[in-house]
């Protein structure tokens, strides 16, 4: 389960450039499904692990740098903290 902990913390985004982020940036690549027969049904599906491409990872780091520069040290520690509800 995932939880959202609401805060009143505000982050300044003036230094960040998000022009490259559009709806197409979040779209998944269309894959064509093939008809499966009995032998492929039991075979392990290789290459199924997706994840973000290296281009998206590099773009995310570039965008995050500008945001992180404007954060105080206590806010950085707060965002890195692991939350748990017990």
């Amino acid at each position: 389960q995932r939880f959202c902990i609401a805060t009143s913390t505000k982050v300044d985004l003036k230094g960040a450039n998000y022009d490259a982020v559009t709806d197409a940036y979040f779209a998944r690549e269309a894959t064509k499904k093939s008809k499966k027969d009995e032998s492929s049904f039991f075979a392990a599906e290789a290459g199924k692990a997706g994840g973000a491409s290296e281009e998206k990872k590099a773009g995310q780091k570039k965008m995050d740098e500008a945001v992180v520069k404007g954060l105080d040290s206590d806010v950085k520690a707060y965002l890195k903290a692991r939350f748990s509800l017990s």
Side-chain angles (χ1 to χ4, degrees):
Q1 293 180 344
R2 298 192 184 255
F3 297 94
C4 176
I5 299 174
T7 67
S8 61
T9 304
K10 296 187 183 200
V11 177
D12 184 24
L13 300 176
K14 289 182 184 174
N17 182 11
Y18 295 105
D19 292 337
V21 180
T22 61
D23 288 341
Y25 182 83
F26 295 103
R28 292 185 180 178
E29 294 179 12
T31 57
K32 195 165 197 167
K33 293 184 178 181
S34 61
K35 193 161 186 132
K36 295 183 179 182
D37 59 352
E38 189 175 325
S39 62
S40 66
F41 179 77
F42 292 107
E45 294 187 28
K48 196 69 171 168
S53 67
E54 294 300 320
E55 179 183 332
K56 285 189 178 182
K57 288 179 185 177
Q60 184 67 48
K61 284 185 180 185
K62 182 180 171 187
M63 289 182 244
D64 287 348
E65 285 176 2
V67 174
V68 171
K69 285 181 184 176
L71 296 177
D72 295 331
S73 61
D74 60 336
V75 175
K76 288 179 189 177
Y78 172 76
L79 292 173
K80 286 182 180 180
R82 194 161 185 94
F83 294 99
S84 65
L85 300 174
S86 55

